[in-house]
Amino acid sequence: MTDNCNDDLIFFDEPDSSGDASDESKDAKRSAARRWKILVVDDEPEVHSITTLVLKNFRYDGKGLEFLHAYNAGEAKEKIIQYPDTAVILLDVVMESNDSGLAFVEFVRKVQKNPFVRIILRTGQPGQAPEERVIVEYDINDYKEKTELSSQKLFTVMVSSLRTYRDILVIEANRLGLR
């Protein structure tokens, strides 16, 4: 699961200086295929820093993480359009408005029609988006208060989310193969 060995490359491979540009492009694509895309959406820069720090050596199913960052719902929309193969979204509810995170969930599920990405709400203001209402009304996969999300719990939620994402993709590929 986690690998503390610094020999494993989690981000981009260093291109071989003897290779040409097409080799570098292929290497970058292979490297990207070995990483799970994680979109961190929060208006607090510290949340991005801490999340990246805590998960920098995280590995699941032989892959590391590629972090994508958005600081408001508009940036998040741009990222999910650009990277529809995002595996997990760690999403704050209250950013530029009290429900901008929930509006982003609606965009992902209804406009982008992306049922695959796992969405984990992380809120510092649970009164703004009560858990029971949000779980029932929105297609999210987990709900955590920022104060309860320790390093261990973040690790656990990432493993369970990535496992589910991987399994959903396998089921979808099988479904498409049967057509």
Side-chain angles (χ1 to χ4, degrees):
M1 306 270 172
T2 58
D3 185 356
N4 293 328
C5 179
N6 290 330
D7 293 339
D8 282 344
L9 296 175
I10 293 175
F11 299 101
F12 290 106
D13 289 331
E14 291 290 328
D16 182 355
S17 60
S18 64
D20 63 17
S22 63
D23 287 342
E24 290 176 11
S25 176
K26 288 176 189 174
D27 287 345
K29 286 179 184 175
R30 277 193 295 271
S31 178
R34 293 191 309 258
R35 295 176 283 142
W36 303 101
K37 289 182 182 72
I38 308 302
L39 175 57
V40 180
V41 184
D42 201 298
D43 58 344
E44 297 177 35
E46 311 83 52
V47 170
H48 292 264
S49 299
I50 291 169
T51 302
T52 303
L53 180 65
V54 167
L55 296 174
K56 71 180 177 185
N57 294 321
F58 179 93
R59 294 187 70 76
Y60 176 72
D61 202 22
K63 296 179 176 183
L65 303 178
E66 177 181 350
F67 294 97
L68 308 170
H69 297 278
Y71 296 86
N72 59 55
E75 289 179 12
K77 287 178 182 179
E78 291 173 11
K79 294 288 184 183
I80 200 67
I81 290 167
Q82 185 177 2
Y83 302 100
D85 61 336
T86 298
V88 177
I89 299 171
L90 298 170
L91 177 64
D92 188 14
V93 176
V94 180
M95 292 178 287
E96 61 270 29
S97 68
N98 286 345
D99 66 345
S100 54
L102 298 176
F104 175 65
V105 171
E106 292 283 303
F107 176 80
V108 170
R109 299 297 194 211
K110 293 183 178 172
V111 176
Q112 291 303 117
K113 298 182 180 2
N114 184 338
F116 305 116
V117 64
R118 306 293 80 201
I119 301 175
I120 302 160
L121 288 186
R122 295 194 301 183
T123 184
Q125 301 174 27
Q128 294 294 332
E131 184 172 356
E132 188 175 304
R133 180 181 71 83
V134 169
I135 290 290
V136 171
E137 294 180 18
Y138 294 86
D139 186 4
I140 63 162
N141 306 103
D142 207 343
Y143 182 107
K144 301 287 184 195
E145 291 185 32
K146 287 181 183 177
T147 56
E148 73 174 312
L149 205 53
S150 65
S151 297
Q152 184 59 50
K153 288 192 184 218
L154 185 56
F155 172 85
T156 300
V157 77
M158 289 301 297
V159 169
S160 64
S161 297
L162 290 171
R163 181 179 294 138
T164 302
Y165 177 76
R166 179 201 61 195
D167 293 348
I168 288 170
L169 291 183
V170 167
I171 291 167
E172 179 65 6
N174 290 336
R175 184 185 73 79
L176 292 173
L178 291 174
R179 283 188 166 182

